[in-house]
């Protein structure tokens, strides 16, 4: 292990958390558990970053104590949920799936492993694409993770929600229900497709709140880091396009933060601690709007295609700038001539509509949606008096135009007061949160 | 954009020249225009002032001689200022400029103030055509100046839009302090401006997603060469649910734990991310409209919350009277603020920029030092440009819209004795909301029209063309009634007061400044002869008997009202109908006031008396009563109209009458001389009374004299208006109901007496 110390810590952490859970937690999910006094004392902090526990000389000190720990590991094995371990987030556009691949399978285990479980494992880990639309984001894989006493890799897979029924079909064909695993699912689809899972594949979903999962997943991934690197990053010199560079950073002491989740739509949360947050507002102008409008305007079919076009386009052919109206800056109000005065404003003219390129339209759509999210997020941050704004969600996937624009908008309009932060696993935190819940829920005797 | 025939962008210079202007209607009195301002956007408001010659009736006292009338009436010309506002499609700009050039003869001005995005584009054209120098003014500061001006001067300027309510427009009484407020101007982009005082405002934010986005993106999506209005029309027919991804599309139902209902839009255009489905133009336009309106509403709420403001006005071409956008914005604001903030719209929103530009150019005339009043006769009123409206209205609203504001001689302020000026509503009945009452009163005014026309002609026997003018008046007023039948909200809330005022404005418009001047003169003359007799007979009564007799006299006098049809019929047919007869007709009892105040309490320091009719009412009813008050040591302030309205006594007439009475009656004489009896003008020329718009001098006098009793007399002032007005001192509202429909509505009979004595709650 490259980072054995950390992993070890995490291991201990989880042990403490798990034992706690066994002792006193009622059924009903992370959030509830965190709120119980017992859970709060050790549970949450143990899970994430109450690192002082790990250095507790009593915990790692005497041989007797180490021995006790080992016994706990053993006892834990019996209450571990059966493989496979999944966590799923069924959104409006995309399904995000995380899968834990155990790497510490003993020969004995290998023999006991039922055939369909083996085939699921092989199928998922040996491919990077599934069917026509399923994709494994190999670059996001978290390696050598120790969870519940097991070590392995966490895989990140996504496919369009439209393919959900095919997925359920597959679950039936592979006789998934015989594995007696709990399918932890969050996102709206957990509710929408619950009945389909039941009737088509004989599977019961454990439905989880998407915002709970989002926050827990995010804090977890941040705490374990990205294979030895920080999960979080920001842009240095966001207002200077020449010198704007991506920089890793730590999300130590992350509260309070304004969490902006840009999926099909946008939710904005003020997070004060792991289990204390509120949804400040949301907007329907999100990733779904970008893709929806791009499809209508350019005839493209995928997010990748839309972004590709946007990267080549020039939005100033579509948008009316302040200088297009005032000939320069609007000094009375301190508006720069280069600021967008009216998104799609040039398109009021028939001639300009007829000569515009698809790339320019895609770019304008992207800029419009991104700026609007930035503007609402900034207002929320000011209203809630929070300086740290964390942007997540799959809209930001492979989308440096937007991340840079958001970083610029936060910095410029707040005169440097606000900082935009981003996370490498942008859209997967809900699924990770659901996955964590699986491990907890199965701890019940 | 009716008439925008070229179909190209709005900056296009291809002008529609085929339109013919109805000149006397649209650009009336242009030849004497003094100043100009123009705001060039999509619809162009142009304004000019005209110092008009107004015909006024003046009266002058004659030397006392038997047989002569007590004063002489003459018609004179007076100069007042009037602002004319005309709004037209920018397609007509060239036609309009040509017209102005041809008719502009007497002006001394060399400059036209211009604002708006098009000011740059049309500068040369204007300078070439009008030979006036274009002086550009900052758009936003003009807008704010204009906004302050209409909020301050036009009651019922702001309204809340409620699509599904009985009356779509709910007008707001203007708060006496209009600041601070938030103005959200939705043009091609959005500007959010915080206004804190006349000169202090700040653009606190904005958004690039505005009307231009709706138009530009809408045109792209629908792939048609659409105009803005057409796009809105498409939107109003569409279903956004086929394009938008709703919460229930993701969740299968509501997202209960967050309180998000299933029908909420989770992702605008979220369902259109597919290549194999066609979407209708209507549905896409609708989705786009929702997207933009919600977004603007959300930002407005965030800014309102941050700056702790709850008055948010929306304007700009995106709004401009379009019910569809007013509805979606209102919906959005309600959603995001959970009803804490109301979206407010302005009746004259389209004129704000031009008004502001004009005011900047007219600073030497100090327009802000005056109060201004909307001239209903020359204003188009609020037009709904709803696509559902009938084509005639649509065509009209699409071409020209007019507004006229008259400069009032006096500055108007609140009565200092209003208990809560911010919640004071003058009018008792809102006919905009009460359809039955509306029907009745519109019918009533239509019925009375013949009589008014006859009276107008009779008032000018020496002028042969009076009949022709009176006929024009008839047509104008009938047309107004027709408009109000269809659009009761045209001039703010429809009330009996606004119907009466509109009639006065229309009469003035055709130079019938005071049709009742002769009748008033005659009646004053007759009543004066009886004054001493009445006073004497009152003096013979015991104290208690006298109190009742005084009140009965006051009420009986109020029967003599030419404004009430029931009475004018009697007066017309039976000129001998007398004071005694009137007393016999009265229904009801009047004891409360006297048992509660005069008998019990100490005398009042000062009584403010809003008087009503000339003749018997003022002379035989009010003056003996005033005399009694004076006798108790109470000072009396008589407030009468500044200008004529029906047979109401005007301040000018009251001056003469008081002097005449003083000459006969030593009590009045000494009180008048010693200033214990004072005459003030109300600042109004209406048969009704708006206590929030009174002459500044009146307000000062009221305050200085520590007025502790307010008496309001007559149907117009105490029943149609102020029936529910709450004052901070004792008040007495009295009138005789001279209309059986109204009497029935209030639960009484014709000639029932309203005698409402109120004491404010003690602190």
């Amino acid at each position: 292990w490259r980072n054995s110390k950390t992993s070890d810590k995490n291991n201990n952490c989880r042990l403490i958390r798990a034992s706690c859970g066994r002792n006193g937690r009622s059924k009903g999910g992370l959030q509830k558990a965190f709120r119980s006094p017992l859970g709060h004392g050790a549970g949450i902090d143990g899970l994430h970053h109450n690192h002082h526990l790990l250095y507790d000389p009593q915990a790692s000190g005497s041989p007797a104590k180490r021995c006790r720990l080992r016994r706990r590991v053993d006892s834990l094995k019996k209450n571990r949920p059966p493989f496979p371990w999944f966590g799923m987030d069924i959104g409006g556009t995309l399904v995000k799936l995380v899968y834990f691949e155990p790497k510490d399978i003993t020969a004995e285990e290998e023999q006991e492993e039922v055939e369909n479980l083996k085939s699921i494992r092989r199928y998922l880990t040996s491919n990077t694409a599934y069917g026509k639309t399923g994709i494994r984001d190999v670059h996001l894989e978290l390696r050598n993770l120790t969870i519940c006493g097991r070590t392995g890799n966490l895989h990140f897979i996504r496919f369009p929600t439209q393919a959900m029924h095919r997925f359920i079909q597959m679950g039936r064909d592979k006789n998934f229900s015989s594995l007696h695993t709990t399918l932890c699912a969050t996102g709206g689809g957990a509710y929408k497709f619950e009945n389909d899972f039941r009737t088509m594949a004989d599977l019961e979903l454990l439905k989880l709140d998407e915002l709970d999962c989002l926050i827990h997943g995010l804090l977890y991934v941040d705490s374990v880091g990205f294979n030895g690197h920080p999960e979080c990053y920001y842009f240095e010199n966001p207002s200077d396009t020449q010198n704007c560079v991506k920089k890793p950073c730590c999300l130590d002491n992350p509260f309070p933060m304004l969490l902006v989740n840009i999926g099909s739509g946008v939710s904005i949360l003020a997070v004060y601690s792991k289990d204390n947050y509120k949804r400040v507002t949301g907007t329907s102008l999100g990733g779904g709007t970008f893709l929806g409008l791009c499809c209508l305007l350019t005839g493209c079919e995928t997010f990748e295609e839309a972004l590709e076009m946007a990267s080549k386009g020039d939005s100033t052919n579509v948008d009316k700038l302040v200088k297009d109206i005032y000939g320069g800056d609007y000094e009375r109000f301190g508006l720069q001539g280069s600021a967008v005065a009216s998104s799609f404003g040039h398109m009021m003219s028939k001639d300009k509509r007829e000569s515009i390129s698809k790339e320019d339209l895609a770019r304008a759509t992207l800029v419009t949606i991104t700026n609007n999210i930035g503007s609402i997020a900034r207002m929320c941050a000011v209203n809630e008096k929070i300086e740290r704004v964390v942007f997540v969600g799959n809209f930001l996937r492979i989308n440096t135009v937007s991340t840079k624009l958001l970083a610029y908008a936060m910095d410029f309009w707040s005169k440097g007061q606000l900082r935009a932060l981003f996370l490498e696993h942008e859209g997967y935190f809900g699924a990770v949160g659901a996955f964590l819940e699986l491990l907890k829920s199965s701890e019940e005797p | 954009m009716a008439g925008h025939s070229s179909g190209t962008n709005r900056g296009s210079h291809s002008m529609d020249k085929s339109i013919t202007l109805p000149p006397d209607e649209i650009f009336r009195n242009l030849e004497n225009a003094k100043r100009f301002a123009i705001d060039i956007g999509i619809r162009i408001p142009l304004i000019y002032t005209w110092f008009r010659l107004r015909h006024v009736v003046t009266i002058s006292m004659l030397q006392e001689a038997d047989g002569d009338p007590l004063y002489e009436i003459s018609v004179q010309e007076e100069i007042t200022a009037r602002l004319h506002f005309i709004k037209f499609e920018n397609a007509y700009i060239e036609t309009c400029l040509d017209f102005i050039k041809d008719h502009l003869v007497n002006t001394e001005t060399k400059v036209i103030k211009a604002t708006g995005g098009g000011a740059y584009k049309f500068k040369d054209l204007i300078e070439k055509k009008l030979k006036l120098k274009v002086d550009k003014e900052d758009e936003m500061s003009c807008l704010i100046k204009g906004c302050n001006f209409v909020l301050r001067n036009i009651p019922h300027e702001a309204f809340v839009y409620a699509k599904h309510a009985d009356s779509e427009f709910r007008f707001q009484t203007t708060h006496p302090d209009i600041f601070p407020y938030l103005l959200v101007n939705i043009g091609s982009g959005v500007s959010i401006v915080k206004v804190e005082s006349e000169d202090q405002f700040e653009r606190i934010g904005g958004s690039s997603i505005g009307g231009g986005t709706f138009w530009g993106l809408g045109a792209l999506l629908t792939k048609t060469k659409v105009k803005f209005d057409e796009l809105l029309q498409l939107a109003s027919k569409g279903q956004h649910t086929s394009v938008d991804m709703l919460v229930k599309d993701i969740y299968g139902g509501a997202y209960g734990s967050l309180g998000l209902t299933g029908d909420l839009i989770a992702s605008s255009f979220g369902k259109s991310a597919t290549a194999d489905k066609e979407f209708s133009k209507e549905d896409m336009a609708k989705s786009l409209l929702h997207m933009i309106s919600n977004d603007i509403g959300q930002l407005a709420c965030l800014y309102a919350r941050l700056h702790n403001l709850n008055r948010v006005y929306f304007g700009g071409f995106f709004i401009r009277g379009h019910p569809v956008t007013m509805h979606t914005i209102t919906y959005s604001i309600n959603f995001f603020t959970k009803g804490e903030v109301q979206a407010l719209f302005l009746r004259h929103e389209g004129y704000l920029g031009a008004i502001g530009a004009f005011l900047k150019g007219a600073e030497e005339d100090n327009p802000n030092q005056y109060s201004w009043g909307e001239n209903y006769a020359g204003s188009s009123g609020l037009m709904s440009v709803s696509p559902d409206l009938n084509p005639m209205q649509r065509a009209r609203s699409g071409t020209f819209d007019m507004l006229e504001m008259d400069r009032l001689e006096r500055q108007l302020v609140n009565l200092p004795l209003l208990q809560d000026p911010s919640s004071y509503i003058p009018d008792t009945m809102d006919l905009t909301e009460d359809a039955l009452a509306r029907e009745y009163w519109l019918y009533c005014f239509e019925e009375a029209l013949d009589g008014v026309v006859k009276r107008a002609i009779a008032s000018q026997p020496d002028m042969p063309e009076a009949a022709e003018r009176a006929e024009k008046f008839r047509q104008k007023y009938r047309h107004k009634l027709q408009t109000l039948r269809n659009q009761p909200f045209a001039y703010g809330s429809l009330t009996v007061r606004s119907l009466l005022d509109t009639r006065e404005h229309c009469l003035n418009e055709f130079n019938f400044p005071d049709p009742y001047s002769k009748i008033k003169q005659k009646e004053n003359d007759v009543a004066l002869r009886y004054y001493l007799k009445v006073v004497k007979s009152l003096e013979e009564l015991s104290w208690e008997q006298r109190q009742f007799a005084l009140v009965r006299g006051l009420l009986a006098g109020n029967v003599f009202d030419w404004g009430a049809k029931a009475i004018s019929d009697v007066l017309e047919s039976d000129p001998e109908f007398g004071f005694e007869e009137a007393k016999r007709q009265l229904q009801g009892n009047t004891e409360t006031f006297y048992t509660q105040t005069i008998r019990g309490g100490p005398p009042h320091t000062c009584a403010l008396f809003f008087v009503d009719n000339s003749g018997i009412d003022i002379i035989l009813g009010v003056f003996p009563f005033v005399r009694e008050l004076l006798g108790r040591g109470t000072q009396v302030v008589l407030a009468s109209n500044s200008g004529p309205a029906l047979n109401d006594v005007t301040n000018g007439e009251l001056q003469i009458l008081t002097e005449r009475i003083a000459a006969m009656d030593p009590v009045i004489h000494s009180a008048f001389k010693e200033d214990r009896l004072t005459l003030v003008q109300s600042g109004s020329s209406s048969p009704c009374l708006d206590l929030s718009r009174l002459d500044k001098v009146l307000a000062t006098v009221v305050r200085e004299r520590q007025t502790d009793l307010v008496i309001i007399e007559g149907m117009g002032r105490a029943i149609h208006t102020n029936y529910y007005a709450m004052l901070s001192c004792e008040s007495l509202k009295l009138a005789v109901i001279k209309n059986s429909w109204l009497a029935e509505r209030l639960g009484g009979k014709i000639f029932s007496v309203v005698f409402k004595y109120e004491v404010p709650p003690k602190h």
Side-chain angles (χ1 to χ4, degrees), chain A residues 74-106:
Chain A
D74 291 337
S75 72
L76 199 95
K77 275 182 187 167
K78 291 169 194 134
N79 284 306
R80 250 188 324 245
F83 287 123
W85 293 353
F86 281 113
M88 190 159 42
D89 175 6
I90 312 169
T93 311
L94 280 179
V95 180
K96 283 77 68 174
L97 194 68
V98 295
Y99 167 67
F100 182 79
E101 173 206 6
K103 294 296 251 186
D104 54 357
I105 299 178
T106 57

Side-chain angles (χ1 to χ4, degrees), chain B residues 604-621:
Chain B
H604 296 94
T605 311
C606 175
L608 169 67
F609 199 136
F610 288 98
V611 299
D612 189 11
N613 305 305
S614 299
I616 291 173
D617 190 350
I618 182 76
I619 297 167
L620 303 184

Side-chain angles (χ1 to χ4, degrees), chain B residues 410-411 413 680-681 694-703:
Chain B
R410 324 276 293 207
Q411 204 173 347
V413 296
V680 292
Q681 46 180 305
L694 291 175
D695 195 301
K696 206 175 178 178
V697 174
L698 184 153
T700 315
V701 169
V702 160
R703 211 178 284 119

Side-chain angles (χ1 to χ4, degrees), chain A residues 33-108:
Chain A
F34 285 169
R35 280 177 190 149
S36 76
L38 238 175
H40 204 277
I44 337 163
D45 293 340
L47 176 61
H48 299 297
H49 65 139
N50 199 351
H51 290 225
H52 69 267
L53 262 181
L54 307 170
Y55 294 107
D56 187 338
Q58 283 190 317
S60 52
S62 68
K65 289 224 167 109
R66 274 205 291 271
C67 184
R68 266 208 304 279
L69 266 178
R70 231 181 344 264
R71 277 206 300 279
R72 276 197 216 167
V73 173
D74 291 337
S75 72
L76 199 95
K77 275 182 187 167
K78 291 169 194 134
N79 284 306
R80 250 188 324 245
F83 287 123
W85 293 353
F86 281 113
M88 190 159 42
D89 175 6
I90 312 169
T93 311
L94 280 179
V95 180
K96 283 77 68 174
L97 194 68
V98 295
Y99 167 67
F100 182 79
E101 173 206 6
K103 294 296 251 186
D104 54 357
I105 299 178
T106 57
E108 187 190 353

Side-chain angles (χ1 to χ4, degrees), chain B residues 526-527 530-531 533-535 537-538 548-560 571 574-586 615-625 713:
Chain B
V526 171
Y530 289 95
Y531 176 75
K533 201 176 139 198
V534 168
V535 167
S537 70
L538 283 166
F548 288 116
L550 281 167
V551 172
R552 288 184 72 79
L554 199 53
L555 290 160
N558 196 243
V559 171
F560 294 84
L571 295 178
D574 177 14
E576 300 302 309
F577 182 82
F579 192 43
E580 293 307 316
E581 208 163 330
K583 280 191 203 164
R584 280 196 295 278
Q585 297 267 18
L586 294 178
I616 291 173
D617 190 350
I618 182 76
I619 297 167
L620 303 184
V622 174
F623 264 98
F625 187 90
E713 189 206 6

Side-chain angles (χ1 to χ4, degrees), chain A residues 217-432:
Chain A
L218 184 151
L219 293 171
Y220 173 76
V221 175
D222 180 64
S223 73
V224 298
F226 186 12
N227 300 325
H229 300 285
E231 166 70 13
C232 185
Y233 65 91
Y234 69 101
F235 288 95
E236 205 173 61
N237 308 318
S239 301
D240 174 2
T241 37
Q242 298 297 309
N243 297 309
C244 173
V245 279
K246 180 176 165 179
K247 288 269 179 180
C249 69
C250 284
L251 202 58
D252 284 342
N253 192 15
F255 307 115
M257 69 168 154
L258 195 78
L259 181 56
V260 183
N261 184 32
I262 317 173
S264 314
V266 182
S267 271
I268 300 181
L269 319 177
V271 188
Y272 300 100
S273 75
K274 278 179 202 82
D275 48 357
N276 179 13
Y277 70 88
K278 65 172 180 186
R279 184 177 186 273
V280 179
T281 189
T283 164
S284 68
L285 284 83
T289 315
F290 164 63
L291 186 53
L293 282 175
C294 265
C295 291
L296 292 174
L297 293 173
T298 69
C300 72
E301 289 181 39
T302 65
F303 183 66
E304 288 76 4
E305 233 181 301
L307 275 185
E308 174 67 19
M309 273 196 282
S311 69
K312 293 179 198 147
D314 179 358
S315 59
T316 62
N317 294 328
V318 180
D319 296 340
K320 208 169 239 183
L321 306 185
V322 169
K323 66 178 172 211
D324 296 325
I325 299 176
Y326 294 99
D329 296 351
Y330 191 3
E331 280 160 28
R332 175 71 178 76
F333 289 128
L335 286 177
Q336 290 181 316
S338 60
V340 184
S342 173
S343 297
F344 288 85
H346 280 317
M347 297 297 98
M348 289 188 274
S349 140
K350 183 169 173 271
D351 299 339
K352 288 193 173 160
R353 280 202 296 277
E354 280 165 358
S355 64
I356 200 75
S357 77
K358 287 179 174 183
E359 287 75 14
D360 290 350
L361 287 174
R363 178 66 164 228
T365 310
L366 186 62
V367 168
T368 302
I369 300 292
T370 306
N371 274 335
N372 190 58
I373 294 169
S375 161
I376 292 172
R378 185 178 62 85
M379 283 305 296
C380 289
V382 176
N383 269 334
E384 302 298 324
K385 302 184 176 60
I386 297 177
E387 289 181 358
R388 193 176 358 221
V389 187
V390 180
F391 292 94
V392 296
N394 265 323
F395 174 66
L396 301 175
R397 194 172 64 78
I398 56 168
N399 186 356
T400 43
V401 173
S402 291
T403 46
K404 284 188 176 176
L405 205 52
L406 287 170
Y408 167 78
M410 291 302 112
D411 182 70
F412 180 82
W413 292 107
S414 74
K415 301 188 174 72
Q417 286 292 300
L418 298 177
R419 177 182 263 195
L421 299 172
F422 305 92
L423 296 166
E424 301 284 358
H425 288 80
E426 56 254 316
Y428 280 109
F429 300 117
V432 174

Side-chain angles (χ1 to χ4, degrees), chain B residues 690-710:
Chain B
D690 179 352
L691 296 176
S692 66
R693 281 169 72 81
L694 291 175
D695 195 301
K696 206 175 178 178
V697 174
L698 184 153
T700 315
V701 169
V702 160
R703 211 178 284 119
E704 281 172 1
R705 306 212 169 185
Q706 296 169 334
T707 304
D708 50 0
L709 174 65
V710 174

Side-chain angles (χ1 to χ4, degrees), chain B residues 128-368:
Chain B
K128 196 182 91 204
K129 292 263 182 197
L130 296 187
K131 310 267 184 290
L132 293 176
K133 187 178 163 295
V134 171
D135 197 357
K136 281 180 300 213
E137 287 289 344
D138 172 66
E139 199 174 350
M140 196 56 70
S141 42
C142 287
L143 199 63
I144 305 294
K145 243 185 167 31
C147 192
N148 293 340
F149 183 82
V150 295
L151 285 175
R152 213 173 326 95
N153 288 295
I154 306 185
H156 289 184
E157 175 61 30
F159 61 88
V160 167
Y161 184 76
K163 187 184 178 188
H164 300 292
D166 268 354
S167 118
E168 288 171 278
F169 302 88
R170 285 211 313 275
F171 294 94
Q172 309 288 298
T173 43
T174 313
H175 195 279
D177 186 7
I178 60 171
F179 306 109
Y181 65 86
L182 203 61
L183 178 67
V184 181
N185 189 52
I186 315 174
S188 45
V190 181
S191 281
I192 301 176
V193 185
K194 176 186 177 184
V195 186
E196 285 176 292
S197 71
E198 192 57 53
D199 305 304
Q200 201 184 348
F201 62 90
E202 184 192 355
R203 184 186 191 274
I204 54 174
S207 166
S208 67
I209 302 186
T213 316
F214 179 67
W215 197 347
L217 195 48
L220 284 168
L221 290 172
T222 58
K223 298 191 175 68
T224 40
K225 51 167 199 179
V226 286
K227 298 160 188 168
F228 183 75
D229 292 17
E230 291 170 358
L231 211 49
L232 278 182
Q233 209 170 335
L234 280 178
S236 64
K237 289 187 214 141
Q239 285 292 331
H240 75 104
T241 50
S242 63
V243 184
D244 289 342
M245 188 182 282
L246 309 184
V247 166
K248 68 180 172 200
D249 293 321
I250 302 177
Y251 272 81
Y255 185 176
S257 62
L258 286 183
L260 305 177
T261 61
D263 288 327
L264 210 65
I265 304 171
S267 174
S268 295
F269 288 90
K271 279 186 195 155
S272 66
T274 162
D276 26 80
K277 220 177 133 195
E278 285 287 316
F279 296 91
S280 82
K281 289 174 185 177
E282 288 82 1
D283 292 353
M284 288 188 291
K286 176 75 162 209
S287 171
L288 186 62
L289 177 67
H290 276 299
M291 175 180 110
I292 291 170
S293 302
N294 285 338
D295 193 53
I296 295 169
Q298 179 171 27
L299 279 169
C301 290
L302 286 167
Y303 281 102
R305 194 173 307 153
L306 184 64
H307 293 265
N308 207 11
L309 298 167
N310 52 20
R311 267 174 287 171
V312 185
Y313 300 101
F314 286 85
F317 82 73
F318 185 69
I319 301 288
R320 210 134 297 171
H322 296 296
V324 198
T325 57
M326 288 195 287
H327 174 64
T328 51
I329 289 282
T330 301
Y331 176 88
S332 168
I333 292 287
N334 286 341
F335 174 79
F336 285 110
T337 67
K338 300 181 178 72
E340 279 169 35
V341 173
Q342 280 191 319
L344 296 169
F345 304 96
L346 299 171
R347 267 203 297 144
H348 299 102
E349 187 279 318
Y351 290 111
L352 303 186
I355 295 175
F358 181 83
L359 292 175
K360 281 183 171 239
E363 258 150 17
E364 67 187 61
D365 293 335
N366 280 326
N368 269 336

